[in-house]
Amino acid sequence: MKKKTNTVYDRNTVEFVTVALEYCTFMEGAAQMEQLDFVDKATKILPLLYLKAALLPEEDVDDMFDPELYVTETMYDAVRTDVAGLLGEHDTYLDTFRPDMAYSETPIAAFISEDLADVYQDVGNFVSLFRQGNEEVMQEAVALCRTNFCNYWGQRLLNALKALHDLRYRDDDLKEQ
């Protein structure tokens, strides 16, 4: 079996861990924020999270790696519900990037809160695995997070960011608050 190089202390990994922790803290505190402050901070932290995830070292995930997941369904629902409540009517946007959109004559509604909760779930699981301090688990967590970013949550992050950007810079109702 080929021995993996240790990516745990790579500069890009350390920077991603820092931003990932900040994102999780931000999402867990969303209920205490004002709508404009939340949207403003989200439009700043999401691009940074995307950039740092894209810079994670490329590693193959060990098929035998079966991590204990930290983010429960209750935690996911709490984040999703808090963000949905905070954004209110602004939570919904039209998603045009879905593969099934090509076959649909009607727009497909999506939710910023669901997208951000999906990102939170994966990033939160990564942070909890990384906190364990076991280098082998940490290395596998980096590989799994990068893979999930490429295959799933990176696109969800971008979808939410696009909707939040529109809300922050084009929605007059939000600017007047």
Side-chain angles (χ1 to χ4, degrees):
M1 183 169 124
K2 181 181 137 186
K3 186 176 179 181
K4 291 184 175 183
T5 59
N6 191 339
T7 58
V8 171
Y9 302 109
D10 179 86
R11 178 177 174 228
N12 290 324
T13 300
V14 172
E15 289 177 358
F16 176 75
V17 171
T18 303
V19 175
L21 182 57
E22 179 67 25
Y23 176 76
C24 290
T25 303
F26 168 65
M27 293 305 297
E28 291 165 358
Q32 286 74 45
M33 299 184 79
E34 295 293 323
Q35 187 182 62
L36 179 59
D37 291 336
F38 176 84
V39 172
D40 185 55
K41 185 163 184 178
T43 58
K44 293 173 182 162
I45 197 168
L46 290 173
L48 188 57
L49 184 64
Y50 185 91
L51 173 65
K52 296 305 179 182
L55 294 173
L56 283 172
E58 292 184 41
E59 293 278 340
D60 291 330
V61 179
D62 183 349
D63 293 337
M64 301 303 287
F65 183 60
D66 187 24
E68 183 177 333
L69 301 179
Y70 170 77
V71 177
T72 64
E73 188 175 332
T74 303
M75 294 167 72
Y76 173 95
D77 283 337
V79 165
R80 186 189 55 75
T81 302
D82 288 348
V83 173
L86 183 62
L87 295 177
E89 67 184 30
H90 300 292
D91 187 33
T92 308
Y93 68 95
L94 298 180
D95 186 357
T96 58
F97 200 74
R98 291 195 176 169
D100 52 346
M101 184 64 189
Y103 307 107
S104 176
E105 292 186 21
T106 59
I108 298 172
F111 302 92
I112 296 169
S113 58
E114 189 174 314
D115 289 340
L116 296 181
D118 286 346
V119 174
Y120 167 79
Q121 182 175 34
D122 207 70
V123 172
N125 285 328
F126 166 80
V127 168
S128 70
L129 291 170
F130 212 82
R131 280 183 171 164
Q132 291 179 13
N134 176 320
E135 284 191 21
E136 187 176 319
V137 171
M138 294 163 76
Q139 195 164 346
E140 289 298 333
V142 170
L144 181 61
C145 190
R146 169 112 166 104
T147 298
N148 290 346
F149 164 75
C150 292
N151 296 332
Y152 182 67
W153 67 263
Q155 186 63 56
R156 302 291 285 212
L157 182 153
L158 291 173
N159 292 349
L161 180 58
K162 184 176 180 181
L164 286 164
H165 175 85
D166 188 62
L167 181 59
R168 174 68 180 98
Y169 296 105
R170 295 188 191 178
D171 192 299
D172 292 331
D173 292 339
L174 189 63
K175 290 178 188 173
E176 292 174 5
Q177 288 185 358

